[in-house]
Amino acid sequence: MLESYFHMAKSIDELQTIAKRVRRDIVEMITAAKSGHPGGSLSAVEIVVELYFNHMRIDPANPKWADRDRFILSKGHAAPVLYSVMAERGYADAPKGKLNTLRQFGSVFQGHPDRRFIPSLEASTGSLGQGLSLGLGMALGSRLDARPSRFFVMLGDGEIQEGQVWESAMAAAFHKADNLVAIVDYNRIQLDGFVSDIMEIAPVVDKWRSFGWHTVEIDGHDFAAIEAALAEAAGTKGKPTCIVAHTIKGKGVSFMENNPKFHGVAPTQDELKLALQELN
Amino acid sequence: MPAQINTAKPKFEIKLGAATREAFGRTLVELGRENRDVVVVDADLSKSTMTTYFAKEFPDRFFSCGIAEANMVGVGAGLAMVGKIPFVASFSVFAVNKGFEQMRIGAAYGRSNLKVVGTHSGISIGEDGPSQMSIEEISLACSLAGFVVLAPADENATKGLVRAAAAYDGPVFIRCGRPKAPVVYGADQKFEIGKSIQVAAGTDIALIANGLLVAQALLAADLLGAEGVSARVIDMHTVKPLDRDAISRAAAETGAIVVAEEHLVDGGLGVRVAQAVAETNPCVMEFVGIHDRYAESGSPDEMLEKYGLVARDIAAAARKALARKR
C-alpha cells in the first residue's frame, strides 16, 4: 500500500540518531557559511525530521508526485534544518555532500529556501508571514481535485506577529481546510530578543483556537508527542489543526540554548568544536 | 508587423461598450466552462470586480478571502502551485498595493502561474476618490521580475487579453476599469501578449496609449488630422514585455511620440516607452498622464478632464512634440 511504502516508519531511536546528524549538519553548515540562523534551525529539528522520515507521504525519487504531502518552511531563515533533512532523506537536488556550500556563491543551498535552485522545495520563503497563505491555497486546490495530500506549514513564533498569518488563519478555518496543519515553533526568541519583550504573542493556543482551529500543544522535541499530534491532526475533520510546539532555541548545543545571540549569528570555529563534541 | 485596422481613417466616434471589468467577469465564466482548473479568489468585492458571475456558476471554484488582500494573493499563488489557474481579483489599488509583497514572493520570485486582476484602476472610477483610485499599480507590477502586465482598452480587448493570460504559463497582472469603455475593437480582433496594435495609421507623429486613453488618442488623431497632421495611434495593451519593434519603428518613421496613460507618469507606460526609444531611435517625446498628485471625487469624465487625460490634452502634447521636432 502506498501509505506504508512512502512512510519510512522509523523507530524513535532511529529518528533521534537522524536528528543528531541533522544538528551536526546545521552547526557545520552555518559555521562554514560564516552567517545564518542556528537557533531557529536547531529548535525545529525533531519536527522536520518526524515529518520527512515518519509522517509525510512523499517520494524523494519522484519529488513532483501530484498526490504527495507538502511541507512549507514559512520561517525560511531556518533553511539549514530543511536542507539537511532533505539531503538526509535523499532528494537529489539537495545533495548531502554540498551542504557546507550553504550561502556561498553558486550553491543550491541559498540563504533562504529558493525553488529556482532546489525544485523539490514546495515554496520559496524568507519573507515572513506568507507560508500559511500558500499552504492554504495548495490545500484548497488539492481538495478540489479530491487528492489525499496534506499540507504542513511551519511558522516561527515571532512570525505570527505578522498580520497576514491571521488573515490566512481566519480563511483556513472558514474554508474548513482540514488537510492543512500549522506548526508553530514556539522557541520564545526572535531576532531582537525574547518574544515577550519584543511583542507578546501569548496566549498562542487561545489565539488559534479562537480563530477556529483545532489545537494541540506539545513538547516539540519529543518524537512520540509530535507523532501523536500529527496523527490527531490527520483525524481532525472540518477544521485545520495548529500544533503549538514548545521548543528550545538552539536545542542541543548548551551555549546556544535559549541564547538570543544565536538567532542569527554563526558559531566560530572554536564554538563549532564545542558544539560537535556535545552532539557526538 | 502589427495588425492594422482603421487604415481608411474614418472619424472615430465614442460608442460606449461594456466596462472592462464587466468583460473580465464574463470572460472568466467562459474560461471556467472550458477549463475546470480555472479558479477565482476574491476579497469581498466580487460584485464590483464582476467575479460574482463566476462565483454563481462555479461556487466550488470560487474562494472568498474576506477583506484580506495579502492572504488573497498568497492563496492564489498556492492554488497555482498545485496546478490551478487562479485569477485573484480586487480593486487594483488593493490587489497590488496590499498584495505586492505576496505577488513578489508567491508569483514572481516564487514562480507561479498566478493571474492578478485589478479593477477600478486609474482615476476614472470617479466618485469614490483617491483612496480607491490606483495610479501606481502599472509601475509596481512592472517592477516584479517575470510579470506580464496588460492594460486592455475595451471589452473585446479585455476578452482577448484575459484569454491570452489564462493560456500563458506565468504570472500576469491585468488592469481593468470601472466605467463603460468606448469600443475600439470589433469582436474578431486578435490579441497577443507583447504585440501592440496599430489602431490608426499615420506618419507625422505616433500616439501610444493603453486602457481608456486609446479612445482618447483616436479622437486626438482626428483633431490633429483636421490640422493636417497625420497621427499614428498604437494601443500598447501590453506594458510588459513591451513591443519594442513597434516603438522603434514608430520613432524612426514619425520622429515624434506622445504616450498617454491613466496612471502616474512616474514609472508608467511613458517611461518604459521612453527607455525603448532611447535605446533604439531617439526622438522627441511628450507624456500625458497624472503628474505627481492625487485626484478627487467627481464623475469619471470630470476626472479625466480635470487631470488632463482627454483627447484635447493628447493633441496639445502632440503639437508641442511636433514643434520640438521641427
Side-chain angles (χ1 to χ4, degrees), chain B residues 13-63:
Chain B
E13 277 172 34
I14 296 279
K15 263 186 295 183
L16 290 180
T20 50
R21 63 177 166 136
E22 173 74 19
F24 158 63
R26 298 288 182 199
T27 307
L28 260 189
V29 173
E30 291 172 14
L31 288 169
R33 288 174 189 156
E34 293 162 20
N35 186 343
R36 57 190 287 273
D37 281 333
V38 171
V39 297
V40 172
V41 193
D42 204 287
D44 190 40
L45 284 170
S46 70
K47 289 176 190 160
S48 301
T49 62
M50 298 304 168
T51 59
T52 183
Y53 303 137
F54 187 95
K56 284 206 182 97
E57 187 157 336
F58 308 104
D60 295 346
R61 285 149 58 186
F62 176 86
F63 300 103

Side-chain angles (χ1 to χ4, degrees), chain A residues 45-258:
Chain A
V45 169
E46 281 79 7
I47 295 162
V48 182
V49 167
E50 168 68 24
L51 282 168
Y52 274 86
F53 282 90
N54 209 31
H55 189 77
M56 290 200 295
R57 298 171 71 248
I58 49 173
D59 179 6
N62 184 13
K64 295 295 169 192
W65 176 37
D67 283 347
R68 70 191 181 278
D69 290 347
R70 304 191 192 206
F71 176 72
I72 298 169
L73 184 66
S74 193
K75 46 171 280 184
H77 55 279
V81 64
L82 181 55
Y83 294 157
S84 170
V85 168
M86 288 178 71
E88 186 82 22
R89 192 67 170 81
Y91 284 91
D93 51 3
K96 192 153 175 72
K98 301 272 186 174
L99 284 174
N100 284 350
T101 64
L102 174 72
R103 289 175 166 252
Q104 289 170 28
F105 183 60
S107 174
V108 299
F109 297 113
Q110 295 280 297
H112 292 76
D114 188 334
R115 300 170 80 203
R116 297 174 305 163
F117 291 83
I118 303 179
S120 298
L121 287 165
E122 300 296 358
S124 295
T125 53
S127 173
L128 295 175
Q130 302 195 37
L132 195 56
S133 298
L134 297 175
L136 173 57
M138 293 180 190
L140 294 174
S142 173
R143 184 172 72 186
L144 210 50
D145 290 341
R147 295 190 188 282
S149 308
R150 296 178 56 73
F151 300 84
F152 303 89
V153 180
M154 176 174 268
L155 302 151
D157 50 0
E159 180 180 10
I160 70 171
Q161 293 159 354
E162 289 274 9
Q164 189 185 345
V165 170
W166 300 103
E167 292 185 2
S168 53
M170 197 184 295
F174 175 75
H175 288 289
K176 302 183 169 55
D178 54 17
N179 52 350
L180 179 66
V181 178
I183 304 167
V184 178
D185 181 10
Y186 199 176
N187 61 35
R188 292 171 192 274
I189 292 174
Q190 59 188 113
L191 189 144
D192 266 344
F194 290 94
V195 171
S196 56
D197 293 331
I198 307 303
M199 178 51 63
E200 184 57 273
I201 58 173
V204 175
V205 171
D206 290 352
K207 283 192 172 72
W208 288 90
R209 195 174 291 146
S210 70
F211 271 73
W213 289 57
H214 177 65
T215 56
V216 193
E217 200 170 6
I218 58 164
D219 171 354
H221 300 303
D222 177 344
F223 277 110
I226 302 168
E227 206 172 316
L230 291 170
E232 186 174 325
T236 302
K237 300 301 170 199
K239 51 166 75 173
T241 294
C242 177
I243 299 172
V244 177
H246 293 280
T247 59
I248 295 169
K249 193 109 172 181
K251 171 75 174 176
V253 179
S254 59
F255 57 90
M256 290 187 183
E257 288 193 357
N258 285 317

Side-chain angles (χ1 to χ4, degrees), chain B residues 110-192:
Chain B
R111 291 189 163 181
S112 68
N113 189 24
L114 179 70
K115 319 300 172 188
V116 179
V117 179
T119 65
H120 297 65
S121 310
I123 62 174
S124 60
I125 81 167
E127 293 79 0
D128 270 346
S131 71
Q132 322 292 300
M133 290 171 173
S134 186
I135 55 175
E136 307 91 355
E137 90 283 5
I138 294 289
S139 171
L140 288 167
C142 284
S143 71
L144 294 170
F147 250 85
V148 164
V149 178
L150 306 173
D154 74 355
E155 57 181 297
N156 288 318
T158 304
K159 182 175 175 176
L161 289 169
V162 168
R163 286 185 159 278
Y168 171 81
D169 184 19
V172 179
F173 171 73
I174 307 172
R175 174 184 232 223
C176 292
R178 172 175 176 262
K180 288 184 161 48
V183 176
V184 174
Y185 294 107
D188 54 350
Q189 177 69 41
K190 298 276 181 280
F191 293 88
E192 202 179 321

Side-chain angles (χ1 to χ4, degrees), chain B residues 192-208:
Chain B
E192 202 179 321
I193 290 172
K195 281 264 193 252
S196 65
I197 298 173
Q198 182 174 305
V199 287
T203 51
D204 297 331
I205 189 164
L207 312 178
I208 298 177

Side-chain angles (χ1 to χ4, degrees), chain B:
Chain B
M1 283 294 285
Q4 299 204 358
I5 65 169
N6 275 359
T7 45
K9 283 201 112 178
K11 220 166 152 23
F12 181 73
E13 277 172 34
I14 296 279
K15 263 186 295 183
L16 290 180
T20 50
R21 63 177 166 136
E22 173 74 19
F24 158 63
R26 298 288 182 199
T27 307
L28 260 189
V29 173
E30 291 172 14
L31 288 169
R33 288 174 189 156
E34 293 162 20
N35 186 343
R36 57 190 287 273
D37 281 333
V38 171
V39 297
V40 172
V41 193
D42 204 287
D44 190 40
L45 284 170
S46 70
K47 289 176 190 160
S48 301
T49 62
M50 298 304 168
T51 59
T52 183
Y53 303 137
F54 187 95
K56 284 206 182 97
E57 187 157 336
F58 308 104
D60 295 346
R61 285 149 58 186
F62 176 86
F63 300 103
S64 162
C65 279
I67 308 166
E69 294 79 7
N71 182 54
M72 170 186 74
V73 174
V75 165
L79 283 158
M81 288 170 186
V82 292
K84 297 295 164 194
I85 303 172
F87 282 80
V88 310
S90 183
F91 287 12
S92 274
V93 74
F94 306 134
V96 181
N97 297 38
K98 296 190 183 194
F100 181 72
E101 168 64 1
Q102 291 68 27
M103 287 168 68
R104 175 174 179 267
I105 292 290
Y109 166 64
R111 291 189 163 181
S112 68
N113 189 24
L114 179 70
K115 319 300 172 188
V116 179
V117 179
T119 65
H120 297 65
S121 310
I123 62 174
S124 60
I125 81 167
E127 293 79 0
D128 270 346
S131 71
Q132 322 292 300
M133 290 171 173
S134 186
I135 55 175
E136 307 91 355
E137 90 283 5
I138 294 289
S139 171
L140 288 167
C142 284
S143 71
L144 294 170
F147 250 85
V148 164
V149 178
L150 306 173
D154 74 355
E155 57 181 297
N156 288 318
T158 304
K159 182 175 175 176
L161 289 169
V162 168
R163 286 185 159 278
Y168 171 81
D169 184 19
V172 179
F173 171 73
I174 307 172
R175 174 184 232 223
C176 292
R178 172 175 176 262
K180 288 184 161 48
V183 176
V184 174
Y185 294 107
D188 54 350
Q189 177 69 41
K190 298 276 181 280
F191 293 88
E192 202 179 321
I193 290 172
K195 281 264 193 252
S196 65
I197 298 173
Q198 182 174 305
V199 287
T203 51
D204 297 331
I205 189 164
L207 312 178
I208 298 177
N210 61 21
L212 284 184
L213 292 224
V214 174
Q216 295 298 325
L218 284 165
L219 291 174
D222 289 339
L223 292 176
L224 293 165
E227 299 164 18
V229 174
S230 162
R232 176 180 304 184
V233 181
I234 297 172
D235 174 7
M236 198 59 66
H237 55 70
T238 304
V239 187
K240 186 184 173 190
L242 208 51
D243 186 348
R244 291 167 61 91
D245 288 349
I247 293 167
S248 73
R249 208 163 41 241
E253 292 170 6
T254 70
I257 290 177
V258 172
V259 185
E261 58 189 319
E262 191 189 351
H263 187 273
L264 278 180
V265 166
D266 305 286
L269 174 66
V271 298
R272 294 179 59 80
V273 171
Q275 182 184 9
V277 168
E279 288 171 350
T280 55
N281 296 306
C283 71
V284 296
M285 291 188 71
E286 292 290 334
F287 302 91
V288 173
I290 299 159
H291 291 268
D292 205 32
R293 59 180 172 166
Y294 299 101
E296 63 200 276
S297 288
S299 73
D301 286 344
E302 284 165 339
M303 286 303 103
L304 297 177
E305 289 267 345
K306 173 162 178 182
Y307 290 88
L309 303 178
V310 293
R312 185 178 65 237
D313 305 297
I314 299 171
R319 289 182 203 108
K320 212 166 139 191
L322 288 165
R324 287 171 57 211
K325 180 179 157 186
R326 289 183 192 110

